[in-house]
């Protein structure tokens, strides 16, 4: 569908620049003045020079406080915060030891990163935001819609930390979970202790009853969400954190189609694992609907183009992360657009990370790629990744240049100080109404790829190369990942790909034999570094091996269940470094192009 486009500003006028500076300064003071009293700000060696500067001046002077922040706060990564966060994991954990650790009071939850990389998950304490922010729909976790919204979620948590309160009698439970689930719990006041007291709840505007969010089994969670969504023809919005998780959802719908339609007809909950005391409240929510079942039988499982609009006639939009690895499922003629049909708008959630939300979708631009910087969770500053100046030279939003490449650096309400995100973004322009930058996400900044493979293609270049090759020759693919292919010298990128269609028909396509050359050409064109190392004989053509159907759905299930994370967090990494996971994936290879 076409999008209305607003003409962006190439640069800021003096007036807009001053407005943006005043706004930034106001929000920055709201954050750093109360957080300056935190245990981290008062104890971290990295902030010692800043503390000394404040001690030698008038701490109530806002201008001086901001000047000292910009002059003396260094760029930080996770390491300075690690020993302070570790105190929350102590047993026993006393309130006095963790109160005001990063921001005033105790955190509502600890957000856990997705673990898509080879590194261990990071934890970030999250505190209740000011009341005016908590009322925003993004904190409520549910977004207004004319009809109902299909947005599977799980209230599953990795663990619950017990903090013994200062009164010596009571304690506070703090969940360790994904940022999205923690924000949902916080916005809805859904504490962990009373999860089972809400079994009969059904939040208006949702396709699924609350009880489904407590299901622990991966397969059961998908099947029950599919059951209630198919039973509801009023769906106007579909929301998944990652677009390719929607592909997994559709695989369950296709595999269990006959069972799901029969259950809708009879008003029964299927015999699925690990339901326990959740079965009774779910049964009370599902009434027999033979008319709807007949409708669904006539439409059939998710195969035909525009299937989703046939099932949900009022469907208007799909919201999900469609960049990066998820792009495999989204380009034209790929599975999601094929099944949604041309009338459904596809847009992103926005751009952010576990650490901080960075930007929201800019509706006057491309809803998949254009994001407007926001200061909801914190103030965003930037490092110029192409500059010859020292790497710690920090730029404010009004100092950016259209077309420049930058790494976001965040100072957050939750107590991070100039924390670098290791992302690369580019500035498309500036919003004409308030001067905020409109940005496009490019890729992660990860030097480990160059070390492992001898060539530093970015994750986005590696993804774009296989997406383009698939469009040209292979056909629709479900997902992919890359392993180090060291079967010959020199080493190279070893793509592991799962086809969406029948394997034999994909391999018989005349263009399929050209896939490796096209993939190679795509990488050569995208990366000067790759072209040079190939010319030097330090790398060679990439390889493409095909894995069994369902491989990446099974990977996703195992990742979620083994690490106790929600279905929205479990994502397939672009590159797999873990030796055990590499071996598991290679065992599922059935042929090589």
């Amino acid at each position: 569908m076409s999008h209305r486009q607003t003409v962006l500003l190439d640069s800021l006028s003096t007036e807009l620049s001053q407005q943006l500076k005043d706004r930034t300064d106001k929000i920055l003071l709201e954050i750093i003045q109360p957080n300056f009293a935190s245990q981290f700000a008062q104890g971290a060696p990295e902030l010692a020079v800043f503390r000394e500067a404040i001690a030698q001046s008038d701490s109530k002077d806002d201008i001086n406080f901001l000047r000292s922040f910009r002059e003396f706060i260094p760029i930080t990564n996770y390491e300075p915060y690690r020993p302070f966060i570790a105190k929350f994991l102590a047993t026993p954990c006393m309130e006095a030891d963790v109160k005001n650790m990063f921001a005033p009071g105790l955190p509502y939850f600890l957000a856990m990163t997705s673990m898509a990389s080879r590194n261990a998950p990071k934890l970030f304490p999250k505190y209740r935001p000011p009341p005016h922010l908590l009322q925003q729909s993004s904190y409520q976790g549910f977004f207004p819609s004319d009809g109902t919204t299909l947005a599977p979620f799980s209230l599953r948590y990795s663990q619950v930390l017990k903090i013994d309160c200062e009164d010596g009698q009571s304690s506070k439970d703090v969940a360790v979970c994904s940022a999205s689930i923690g924000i949902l719990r916080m916005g809805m006041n859904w504490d962990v202790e009373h999860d089972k007291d809400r079994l009969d709840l059904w939040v208006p505007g949702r396709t699924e009853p609350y009880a489904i969010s407590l299901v622990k089994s991966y397969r059961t969670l998908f099947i029950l969400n599919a059951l209630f969504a198919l039973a509801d023809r009023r769906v106007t919005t579909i929301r998944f954190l990652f677009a390719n998780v929607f592909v997994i959802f559709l695989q369950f719908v296709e595999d269990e189609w006959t069972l799901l339609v029969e259950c809708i007809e009879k008003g029964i909950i299927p015999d699925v694992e690990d339901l326990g005391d959740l079965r009774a409240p779910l049964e009370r929510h599902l009434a027999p609907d033979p008319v709807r079942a007949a409708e669904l039988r006539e439409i059939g499982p998710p195969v035909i183009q525009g299937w989703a609009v046939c099932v949900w006639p009022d469907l208007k939009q799909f919201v999900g992360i469609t960049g990066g690895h998820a792009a495999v499922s989204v380009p034209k003629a790929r599975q999601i657009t094929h099944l949604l049909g041309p009338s459904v708008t596809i847009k992103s959630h926005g751009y952010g990370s576990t650490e901080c939300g960075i930007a929201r979708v800019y509706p006057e631009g491309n809803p998949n790629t254009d994001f407007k910087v926001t200061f909801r969770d914190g103030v965003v500053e930037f490092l110029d990744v192409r500059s010859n100046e020292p790497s710690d030279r920090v730029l404010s939003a009004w100092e950016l240049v259209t077309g420049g490449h930058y790494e976001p650096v965040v100072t957050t309400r939750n107590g991070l100080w100039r924390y670098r995100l290791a992302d690369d973004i580019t500035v498309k322009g500036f919003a004409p109404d308030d001067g905020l930058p409109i940005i496009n996400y490019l890729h992660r900044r990860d030097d480990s790829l160059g070390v492992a493979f001898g060539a530093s293609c970015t994750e986005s270049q590696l993804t774009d190369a296989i997406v383009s090759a698939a469009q040209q020759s292979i056909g629709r693919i479900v997902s992919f990942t890359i392993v180090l292919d060291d079967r010959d010298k020199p080493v190279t990128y070893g793509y592991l790909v799962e086809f969406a269609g029948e394997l034999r028909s994909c391999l018989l396509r005349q263009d399929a034999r050209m896939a490796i050359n096209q993939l190679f050409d795509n990488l050569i064109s995208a990366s000067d570094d790759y072209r040079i190392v190939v010319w030097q004989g330090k790398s060679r053509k990439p390889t493409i091996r095909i894995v069994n159907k369902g491989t990446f759905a099974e990977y996703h299930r195992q990742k979620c269940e083994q690490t106790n994370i929600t279905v929205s967090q479990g994502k397939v990494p672009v590159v797999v470094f873990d030796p055990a996971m590499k071996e598991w994936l290679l065992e599922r290879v059935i042929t090589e192009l």
Side-chain angles (χ1 to χ4, degrees), residues 446 449-450 455-462 493 523 526-527 529-530:
D446 188 354
L449 290 177
S456 357
C457 289
T458 66
E459 288 190 356
S460 61
Q461 289 169 341
L462 294 169
Y493 298 111
L523 291 175
S527 172
D529 182 63
Y530 182 68

Side-chain angles (χ1 to χ4, degrees), residues 142-151 202-208 232-239 312-317:
F142 302 122
F143 294 77
S145 175
D146 294 335
T148 55
T149 298
L150 164 58
W202 196 330
V203 177
R206 308 282 298 190
T207 60
E208 78 291 346
D232 186 352
R233 73 188 317 272
R234 302 166 299 161
V235 174
T236 57
T237 300
I238 298 175
R239 302 182 68 93
W312 301 295
D314 297 326
L315 182 63
K316 294 180 175 62
Q317 64 175 349

Side-chain angles (χ1 to χ4, degrees), residues 69-283:
F69 171 87
R70 291 191 168 108
E71 185 173 350
F72 298 117
I73 294 294
I75 303 302
T76 65
N77 57 23
Y78 191 69
E79 292 311 308
Y81 303 90
R82 190 185 297 275
F84 292 86
I85 292 171
K87 295 181 181 181
F88 288 99
L89 305 177
T91 305
C93 178
M94 309 303 295
E95 180 180 6
D97 294 333
V98 295
K99 189 176 181 180
N100 306 325
M101 183 64 74
F102 296 101
L106 293 174
Y108 188 87
F109 70 100
L110 265 64
M112 181 174 66
T113 55
S114 65
M115 294 181 292
S117 71
R118 55 180 164 174
N119 299 319
K122 298 172 184 174
L123 301 179
F124 295 93
K126 298 288 185 176
Y127 298 78
R128 275 191 177 275
H132 71 280
L133 290 178
L134 197 58
Q135 298 306 311
Q136 294 183 7
S137 58
S138 53
Y139 271 110
Q140 296 298 310
F142 302 122
F143 294 77
S145 175
D146 294 335
T148 55
T149 298
L150 164 58
F153 71 95
S154 170
L155 292 179
R156 190 171 181 172
Y157 44 79
S158 175
Q159 60 179 312
V160 176
L161 306 177
K162 180 182 176 182
I163 299 177
D164 294 324
C165 295
E166 293 172 336
D167 60 14
Q169 304 295 320
S170 60
S171 63
K172 175 181 172 60
D173 287 342
V174 176
V176 178
C177 59
S178 71
S180 58
I181 294 307
I183 289 171
L184 174 61
R185 282 187 175 277
M186 185 163 57
M188 300 296 290
N189 285 315
W190 286 347
D191 55 51
V192 172
E193 299 100 307
H194 298 95
D195 276 348
K196 291 299 181 73
D197 297 338
R198 295 182 284 267
L199 294 185
D200 288 319
L201 175 66
W202 196 330
V203 177
R206 308 282 298 190
T207 60
E208 78 291 346
Y210 170 90
I212 293 180
S213 68
L214 301 181
V215 168
K216 294 181 178 179
S217 165
Y218 178 89
R219 175 176 177 271
T220 299
L221 183 69
F222 274 107
I223 289 176
L224 292 179
N225 271 286
L227 173 66
F228 280 89
L230 291 171
D232 186 352
R233 73 188 317 272
R234 302 166 299 161
V235 174
T236 57
T237 300
I238 298 175
R239 302 182 68 93
F240 280 75
L241 182 58
F242 295 103
N244 45 355
V245 178
F246 181 51
V247 173
I248 296 174
F249 174 85
L250 292 172
Q251 287 179 349
F252 276 100
V253 172
E254 182 177 357
D255 293 344
E256 305 293 344
W257 180 257
T258 302
L259 171 66
L260 292 168
V261 174
E262 182 179 335
C263 288
I264 291 170
E265 181 178 43
K266 298 178 180 178
I268 59 175
I269 300 299
D271 185 17
V272 287
E273 59 269 22
D274 297 333
L275 264 190
D277 57 358
L278 300 178
R279 178 175 290 277
L282 289 173
E283 287 176 337

Side-chain angles (χ1 to χ4, degrees), residues 498-519:
E498 180 181 336
F499 283 135
E502 197 271 323
L503 176 61
R504 179 176 172 80
S505 63
C506 293
L507 294 178
L508 288 177
R509 289 181 53 158
Q510 188 172 0
D511 293 339
R513 66 191 68 179
M514 299 297 297
I516 293 176
N517 286 336
Q518 289 164 346
L519 180 60

